[in-house]
């Protein structure tokens, strides 16, 4: 792959972290620990080991995701902290229908298991580094490298101009591992109930199949 995009990513993170350090801001990255996460996690581990990585443990993730998280955490020497919902899984099941919220209201399920735990953790002025890319969804196509949301939290998107091809080229070039389900046809991997094999459309085409939903809500709040 072209080294320019990697160098540009390093420059973005390095320059922004220097500013944030002077302003005494807390800085965190989030990761879903799937194949698309590998380059950013590798870059953080190799160059910015002081950056802590937040892992949103919904309780519905694939066993392979937990295993891959532990593998990358050890391989890249990452500082990982898991965040969970305050609402346990039993409380998320409707006592009448015995169905979980992912079946009844997937937006609410995403909110209580991903959005709310992160909102409860981050404070005004904190910096959130994310690996979102413009080529993933229409929503992400409109994002900027640095944004500030209504809570006063700064969002840094250093991978915004990478493509799916760049991701795999970087992984292959550095001989890095892929998520165990990658070879089975899972391109975008989230929670078990809402993740299917790639449908041949956009990268996140295997998520929330049969609905218009493309985002969990983490990246849609302004």
């Amino acid at each position: 792959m072209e080294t320019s995009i990697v160098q540009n990513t390093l420059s973005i993170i390095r320059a922004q972290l220097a500013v944030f350090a002077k302003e005494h801001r807390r800085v965190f990255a989030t990761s879903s620990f799937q194949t698309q996460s590998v380059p950013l996690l590798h870059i953080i581990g190799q160059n910015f080991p002081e950056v802590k990585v937040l892992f949103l443990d919904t309780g519905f993730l694939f066993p392979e995701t937990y295993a891959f998280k532990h593998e990358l955490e050890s391989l890249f020497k990452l500082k990982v902290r898991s965040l969970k919902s305050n609402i346990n899984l039993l409380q998320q099941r409707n006592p009448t229908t015995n169905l979980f919220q992912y079946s009844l209201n997937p937006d609410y399920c995403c909110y209580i298991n991903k959005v709310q735990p992160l909102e409860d953790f981050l404070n005004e002025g904190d910096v959130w580094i994310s690996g979102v890319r413009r080529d993933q969804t229409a929503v992400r196509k409109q994002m900027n490298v640095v944004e500030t949301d209504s809570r006063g939290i700064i969002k840094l998107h250093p991978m915004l101009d990478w493509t799916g091809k760049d991701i795999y080229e970087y992984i292959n070039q550095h001989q890095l591992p892929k998520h165990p389900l990658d070879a089975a046809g899972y391109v975008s991997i989230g929670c078990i109930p809402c993740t299917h094999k790639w449908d041949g459309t956009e990268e996140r085409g295997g998520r929330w199949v049969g609905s218009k939903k493309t985002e969990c809500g983490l990246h849609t709040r302004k």
Side-chain angles (χ1 to χ4, degrees):
M1 68 179 302
E2 292 187 14
T3 58
S4 58
I5 192 169
V6 178
Q7 292 303 319
N8 184 55
T9 301
L10 284 168
S11 296
I12 289 171
I13 299 175
R14 190 170 287 119
Q16 292 298 324
L17 287 187
V19 173
F20 301 146
K22 290 180 180 178
E23 296 174 348
H24 304 290
R25 298 181 185 272
R26 297 195 310 168
V27 180
F28 303 94
T30 56
S31 180
S32 56
F33 285 88
Q34 54 182 304
T35 298
Q36 285 74 28
S37 311
V38 172
L40 179 57
L41 292 174
H42 183 251
I43 288 171
I44 288 173
Q46 292 285 306
N47 301 276
F48 312 101
E50 72 278 11
V51 174
K52 293 182 176 63
V53 179
L54 304 177
F55 173 64
L56 295 165
D57 184 358
T58 65
F60 296 109
L61 300 174
F62 288 91
E64 292 86 348
T65 298
Y66 291 107
F68 194 50
K69 168 191 169 289
H70 291 305
E71 179 183 1
L72 296 186
E73 187 176 1
S74 175
L75 183 63
F76 299 160
K77 296 180 171 57
L78 301 169
K79 299 175 182 177
V80 181
R81 175 165 178 171
S82 295
L83 303 180
K84 293 185 177 182
S85 174
N86 291 324
I87 305 174
N88 67 50
L89 297 187
L90 289 178
Q91 292 175 311
Q92 295 181 37
R93 188 167 57 187
N94 185 293
T96 303
T97 64
N98 211 31
L99 296 175
F100 282 100
Q101 288 297 330
Y102 59 74
S103 297
L104 302 170
N105 188 340
D107 286 332
Y108 181 61
C109 185
C110 287
Y111 176 74
I112 59 177
N113 287 300
K114 299 183 74 173
V115 178
Q116 192 170 48
L118 185 61
E119 286 186 342
D120 290 345
F121 181 84
L122 294 179
N123 300 320
E124 181 178 353
D126 283 347
V127 179
W128 167 17
I129 301 174
S130 154
V132 297
R133 309 193 321 267
R134 285 198 176 96
D135 71 339
Q136 290 177 311
T137 66
V139 170
R140 300 179 185 195
K141 187 176 182 179
Q142 307 303 317
M143 292 181 177
N144 298 311
V145 173
V146 181
E147 299 179 334
T148 302
D149 69 15
S150 58
R151 298 163 291 177
I153 293 171
I154 298 171
K155 297 179 179 179
L156 178 61
H157 307 135
M159 310 289 288
L160 208 54
D161 291 324
W162 285 54
T163 64
K165 182 173 180 288
D166 293 328
I167 294 292
Y168 281 92
E169 286 185 355
Y170 184 96
I171 290 172
N172 293 333
Q173 179 180 329
H174 293 274
Q175 298 182 322
L176 302 176
K178 301 181 182 72
H179 191 288
L181 293 178
D182 188 275
Y186 291 84
V187 176
S188 181
I189 302 167
C191 295
I192 294 173
C194 302
T195 300
H196 300 268
K197 292 184 179 181
W198 187 48
D199 67 359
T201 57
E202 62 181 15
E203 181 181 292
R204 292 170 64 82
R207 304 287 286 277
W208 303 289
V209 171
S211 73
K212 295 181 179 180
K213 183 176 172 65
T214 61
E215 296 283 350
C216 64
L218 282 173
H219 305 293
T220 53
R221 177 167 178 170
K222 297 299 184 181

